[in-house]
Amino acid sequence: MKHSVIELTVCAALSAILCVVCPFTVPVGVVPLSLASFAVCCIGGAAGFKRGTAATALYILIGGVGVPVFAGFRGGLSVLLGPTGGFLLGYLLLVATAGFAADREKPLEGEALGGQPGHGQRGHQSAGAWYRRHGNA
C-alpha cells in the first residue's frame, strides 16, 4: 500500500496532538481522568478510520517504548500491562468506531431513522468526510 507524504505527516501530527493532550490528568482513583478519550474520539471523527487508527496506534507505540505520553506523564510497557493498559488499548476500538462513523456516506439520522430520503444529509457530514472528498482535489 502506497502512502503519500501528506498522509504520513497528518498521522504523525495527530499522534503528536495525542502526546501533548493526554498526559494532563485529574487524579481520581486508579484510572485518572484526562482529555484522552475526547481527543481520541475527535481524531477518529476528523481523520477517519484508517488515519485515526494509525495515529492512535502510533501514540500507544510511542508510550509503550517508554516516552512519558500516557496519563500522569507515565510511559513504558509496565503501563500497558498495568491497570490502565486495557483502557489504552480500548482507544483503538474507540477511534475505529468514531472513524468508521465519520467515513459513512449517510449520517446516522435522516433516512436511517425514518426521515425523508435526501433531506438534510449534506449538512450533517463531518469536516473530515468533506476534506477526504474535496480537499485532495
Side-chain angles (χ1 to χ4, degrees):
M1 182 186 320
K2 189 174 182 180
H3 299 287
S4 72
V5 174
I6 293 174
E7 288 180 1
L8 295 174
T9 305
V10 167
C11 181
L14 292 174
S15 290
I17 289 171
L18 282 175
C19 291
V20 169
V21 170
C22 295
F24 299 101
T25 63
V26 175
V28 181
V30 178
V31 179
L33 179 66
S34 71
L35 288 177
S37 299
F38 177 71
V40 168
C41 195
C42 287
I43 285 174
F49 177 78
K50 287 197 281 187
R51 288 181 188 158
T53 304
T56 305
L58 181 60
Y59 161 72
I60 292 172
L61 179 68
I62 289 169
V65 297
V67 180
V69 295
F70 295 142
F73 292 96
R74 296 180 9 211
L77 196 56
S78 63
V79 177
L80 289 176
L81 298 176
T84 60
F87 202 80
L88 289 168
L89 294 177
Y91 288 163
L92 290 174
L93 181 62
L94 173 63
V95 75
T97 304
F100 177 76
D103 286 344
R104 291 174 46 97
E105 285 293 323
K106 294 181 184 175
L108 295 178
E109 47 189 67
E111 240 179 283
L113 298 177
Q116 294 179 342
H119 290 282
Q121 293 183 0
R122 289 275 183 208
H124 295 287
Q125 290 178 347
S126 70
W130 183 90
Y131 175 78
R132 283 188 298 282
R133 231 179 255 116
H134 304 290
N136 295 331

